[in-house]
Amino acid sequence: MSSMAPVFLMAIATDTSISSASSISATGNAGGDKLAAIRATMAAVSPTGAFTALATAAGFAVLLFADIIPVKVFGMIAFNEGGAAPALPLPPC
C-alpha cells in the first residue's frame, strides 16, 4: 500500500506544475520579460498551490485514523511526503 504514495503524489505535483507552466507561458507570450512573467505567476499561483497542498495533506491525514494498519502506514507516508514538504511556502523570486 505504501508503494502507491509516490504515484498519487506525482499526479498531484504534475497537475500543479502544468498549471504553473501554463500561466508562465501565457504571461510570457503577452510580451515582456520572462523573469517578470515567472514572478507574476508565482505570486498568483503560490497561495493556490499552498492551499492545495494543505488540503491534500488533510485528506491523507484522515487515513491515520483507519483501523487497517497498511492504510494507516500509507496515510503516514503520504502525509509526510505530500503534505509537509509542498505546504512550505515558496521563497519569492
Side-chain angles (χ1 to χ4, degrees), residues 58-74:
F60 284 129
V62 169
L63 296 176
L64 296 172
F65 300 106
D67 292 332
I68 304 168
I69 298 299
V71 173
K72 188 179 283 192
V73 171
F74 173 74

Side-chain angles (χ1 to χ4, degrees), residues 2 14 26 28 44-47 67 83 85 88:
S2 62
T14 301
V45 174
S46 290
D67 292 332
L88 298 175

Side-chain angles (χ1 to χ4, degrees), residues 6-20 52 86:
V7 175
F8 291 127
L9 298 175
M10 284 301 296
I12 294 167
T14 301
D15 180 43
T16 305
S17 298
I18 289 172
S19 175
S20 298
T52 301

